[in-house]
């Protein structure tokens, strides 16, 4: 005897969703599959899905060339499809994170909703002191975003550039 319990469960699930919910789900699936709105009667609400945004923060000693880390972070963000809302570069050396204006600007972009993450090349660009790094990460999380280090393995090993 063949059981059609699966068919019964699927029918029950469909019955609980409203027509608008089903259309919204289909629109999201179509957008995820690369079908542009209007191409398959995708509602306009699915077209409102925004790209994730980040701000790149780089810090180094005075006269440091940050072109390499900037390029690496840009390529990293593009690989994930993140929109870069800005690049903040500081050349203040070993100042603690609280003494850096650029880091404060990056956190403000999170608070304002302009970006959802602060992306940096190495953990040491935030701080080589674990407590200071954790404090900055908590501040960014409280603002509604997150701190992302592109190459934390290289930073953890102490490889300097």
């Amino acid at each position: 005897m063949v059981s059609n319990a699966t068919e019964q469960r699927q029918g029950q699930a469909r019955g609980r969703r409203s027509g608008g919910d089903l259309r919204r789900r289909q629109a999201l699936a179509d957008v995820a599959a690369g079908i542009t709105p209007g191409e398959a009667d995708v509602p306009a609400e699915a077209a409102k899905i925004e790209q994730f945004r980040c701000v790149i923060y780089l810090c180094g000693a005075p006269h440091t060339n940050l072109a390499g880390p900037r390029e690496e972070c840009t390529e990293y963000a593009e690989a994930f499809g993140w929109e870069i809302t800005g690049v903040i570069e500081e050349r203040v050396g070993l100042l603690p994170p609280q003494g850096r204006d650029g880091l404060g600007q990056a956190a403000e972009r999170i608070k304002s909703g302009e970006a959802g993450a602060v992306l940096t090349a190495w953990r040491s660009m935030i701080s080589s002191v674990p407590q200071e790094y954790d404090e900055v990460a908590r501040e960014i999380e409280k603002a509604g975003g997150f701190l992302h280090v592109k190459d934390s393995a290289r930073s953890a090993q102490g490889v300097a550039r």
Side-chain angles (χ1 to χ4, degrees):
M1 178 173 210
V2 177
S3 172
N4 57 355
T6 303
E7 292 174 19
Q8 290 173 352
R9 279 190 298 241
Q10 288 175 347
Q12 290 171 355
R14 283 191 200 115
R16 284 183 265 158
R17 292 193 177 104
S18 69
D21 187 40
L22 290 173
R23 284 190 301 277
R24 182 183 61 81
R25 287 170 168 263
Q26 184 61 53
L28 291 172
D30 288 345
V31 169
I35 299 172
T36 58
E39 189 176 319
D41 296 330
V42 177
E45 65 188 56
K48 293 179 187 176
I49 298 171
E50 293 182 13
Q51 190 174 18
F52 184 78
R53 297 172 302 200
C54 71
V55 59
I56 295 174
Y57 174 78
L58 304 169
C59 184
H63 309 293
T64 300
N65 183 1
L66 296 174
R70 182 185 331 108
E71 184 178 330
E72 289 176 15
C73 285
T74 300
E75 289 173 359
Y76 188 85
E78 289 172 352
F80 283 100
W82 294 355
E83 177 185 342
I84 300 168
T85 62
V87 177
I88 300 172
E89 295 182 6
E90 286 191 299
R91 290 175 178 82
V92 293
L94 298 175
L95 282 180
Q98 296 78 13
R100 294 192 235 149
D101 293 333
L103 197 50
Q105 291 171 11
E108 282 301 316
R109 290 191 184 198
I110 300 294
K111 289 177 188 171
S112 71
E114 186 180 333
V118 175
L119 173 62
T120 191
W122 307 300
R123 186 178 175 110
S124 61
M125 288 188 169
I126 302 299
S127 179
S128 57
V129 178
Q131 293 82 4
E132 290 178 348
Y133 176 88
D134 292 342
E135 185 178 322
V136 171
R138 274 192 303 275
E139 178 185 335
I140 291 171
E141 287 172 5
K142 285 180 186 175
F146 65 91
L147 176 60
H148 186 76
V149 178
K150 181 202 152 297
D151 197 353
S152 58
R154 193 173 280 168
S155 300
Q157 294 171 355
V159 176
R161 285 196 167 211

